[in-house]
Amino acid sequence: MIMSKFCWVRLDNRLVHGQVCVCWIPQLEINRVVIVHDRFGKDPFMAKVHAMAVPRGVVCDTITSEKALEEWERDEFGDGRVLVLFPDPATASKMWHAGFQFKSMQIGTIPAAKNRVAIHPQVNIDGEDAKLLTELMDQGVDIYCQLVPTDSKSELRGLLAKAKF
């Protein structure tokens, strides 16, 4: 069975964008991006938009959580260096509990919205987000905020405590 040599997980509601394409993909030598998004995974147009956004030579697949779990169970997303992108904490939690048990997750952006609190630049969470992310950390997932490689990692547990979650 062929399995990915490297699988890196990022939560970022913007999915494929400049920081991911210009900074993270080259820095980590990613050759495949897997976007796990239940709505966009059923939308051929959005899948094509995402595929066009990544650097030349990088494969980008926008798939549903169900399809992502099938691929993970079959061969851990195949050969190569893989970046998995989640749009939100709920999707990350859903995938973890369904069997895709990643060791760490970087948070890039969670947008501001009603009842959300800014805990880090570009990271805004509410009580439900905090609950889901804390459950993942309690199960051993190292979760941290980091926009670009030159930024320091900010451990999520400390950010949540400071924000009184």
Side-chain angles (χ1 to χ4, degrees):
M1 175 187 334
I2 297 174
M3 296 189 286
S4 62
K5 294 177 185 136
F6 175 81
C7 188
W8 184 66
V9 177
R10 180 177 171 102
L11 188 161
D12 194 321
N13 84 302
R14 297 173 297 165
L15 303 170
V16 176
H17 58 88
Q19 291 169 349
V20 169
C21 293
V22 174
C23 298
W24 291 111
I25 288 174
Q27 172 87 15
L28 299 171
E29 299 176 350
I30 298 297
N31 60 11
R32 182 178 183 209
V33 174
V34 176
I35 297 172
V36 181
H37 196 294
D38 285 333
R39 185 168 42 102
F40 292 164
K42 296 175 185 171
D43 184 338
F45 175 76
M46 287 307 298
K48 191 176 221 179
V49 168
H50 294 141
M52 292 186 319
V54 297
R56 185 182 312 257
V58 176
V59 173
C60 181
D61 295 308
T62 303
I63 58 179
T64 64
S65 55
E66 182 179 337
K67 174 78 170 151
L69 285 167
E70 287 172 12
E71 285 197 31
W72 178 254
E73 290 169 2
R74 183 180 62 243
D75 62 7
E76 296 183 3
F77 299 124
D79 192 24
R81 298 178 62 82
V82 179
L83 162 59
V84 176
L85 288 171
F86 296 132
D88 52 50
T91 302
S93 177
K94 176 181 176 178
M95 290 294 293
W96 169 267
H97 291 292
F100 174 45
Q101 297 190 341
F102 42 92
K103 291 179 172 49
S104 65
M105 180 171 68
Q106 178 188 74
I107 299 177
T109 301
I110 300 175
K114 186 177 181 179
N115 299 323
R116 284 194 173 161
V117 175
I119 62 166
H120 191 263
Q122 298 187 30
V123 178
N124 303 272
I125 65 168
D126 59 22
E128 182 63 17
D129 294 335
K131 176 181 161 264
L132 293 171
L133 294 168
T134 298
E135 286 174 359
L136 290 174
M137 289 185 294
D138 289 347
Q139 293 184 37
V141 180
D142 175 31
I143 303 178
Y144 58 94
C145 298
Q146 185 180 21
L147 292 174
V148 294
T150 55
D151 290 345
S152 297
K153 291 181 180 180
S154 296
E155 297 302 323
L156 183 63
R157 199 173 294 276
L159 296 171
L160 291 176
K162 188 175 177 181
K164 298 186 180 7
F165 276 104

